[in-house]
Amino acid sequence: MPASPLPTSPLPASVLDLAPVVPVVVVQDAADAVPLARALVAGGLPAIEVTLRTPAALDAIRAIAVDVPEAVVGAGTVITPEQVDASVAAGARFLVSPGWTDVLLEAMRASGVPFLPGVSTASEVVALLERGVREMKFFPAQAAGGTAYLKSLAGPLPQARFCPTGGIDAASAPEYLALPNVGCVGGSWMLPADAVAARDWGRVEALSREAAALGVGAVVR
């Protein structure tokens, strides 16, 4: 396996504070990774979650880490310790999981990079808080109760902060971003399938710019 690329800037202290929107990217062809990442960054979305759902994912992470140093590339859909190791070796600078177990949590903690374990219930949130984890992915956001559920968690569990992902689009993102316990949202609406298939990176950049603007004013709650 090739040596891990050296990051050009320090690891982020918090994934939640990198940008209001984290693009959730499914890369089918690793050759698309660099121009896609450049379009996202040019549009104001530097944090890029490449999901481990395709054979091209690790190569895509490696290419972005080397050729798009202004991006902060991470790995999503991380579900095993082996994927944690492979992702970090490829250059991932943060990790995101759809859920968690103690084994996976310890592997992510040992990786040395920031991570967002996935939760969808209050009990899972409490269990992570007991383990010293305060930043989490709320998934699947819309199906698990959406903004109403997150509002309900903010009262008894104000110390938990979330990146909701799953079913969020440009219309619903501002409502999430206005919540006091939401640091950012994850989504793919700035990467429409037809634009990616056509390699229309100009359209991706324009949609990314619109997504980045959704956070303007949302940080004052």
Side-chain angles (χ1 to χ4, degrees):
M1 179 177 292
S4 175
L6 292 175
T8 57
S9 59
L11 288 169
S14 169
V15 179
L16 300 185
D17 297 328
L18 288 170
V21 178
V22 176
V24 179
V25 182
V26 180
V27 178
Q28 301 293 343
D29 184 347
D32 291 337
V34 168
L36 185 154
R38 286 175 175 156
L40 293 171
V41 171
L45 301 179
I48 301 170
E49 176 189 336
V50 177
T51 65
L52 301 184
R53 302 180 193 176
T54 69
L58 289 175
D59 286 338
I61 291 170
R62 190 173 294 108
I64 295 170
V66 171
D67 294 330
V68 194
E70 61 271 35
V72 182
V73 64
T77 322
V78 177
I79 58 174
T80 69
E82 292 76 17
Q83 288 179 327
V84 169
D85 294 341
S87 297
V88 174
R93 300 178 64 196
F94 64 90
L95 304 169
V96 184
S97 69
W100 66 279
T101 64
D102 280 321
V103 171
L104 179 60
L105 186 68
E106 288 313 305
M108 291 193 292
R109 197 193 301 272
S111 72
V113 303
F115 57 91
L116 295 175
V119 298
S120 60
T121 69
S123 293
E124 291 169 321
V125 175
V126 171
L128 283 178
L129 291 174
E130 285 182 349
R131 290 158 174 80
V133 178
R134 294 174 179 266
E135 298 188 346
M136 313 165 195
K137 171 179 178 174
F138 179 58
F139 176 83
Q142 290 288 87
T147 55
Y149 194 89
L150 286 171
K151 286 178 184 176
S152 297
L153 291 180
L157 302 170
Q159 62 271 57
R161 296 181 72 215
F162 300 95
C163 174
T165 304
I168 298 174
D169 56 20
S172 58
E175 187 177 356
Y176 281 95
L177 290 169
L179 297 177
N181 55 350
V182 169
C184 63
V185 300
S188 302
W189 71 87
M190 73 297 299
L191 295 161
D194 58 340
V196 174
R199 295 177 168 83
D200 187 352
W201 308 126
R203 184 179 171 202
V204 170
E205 180 180 340
L207 291 171
S208 298
R209 189 169 291 107
E210 293 174 4
L214 294 176
V216 177
V219 291
V220 180
R221 299 172 174 117

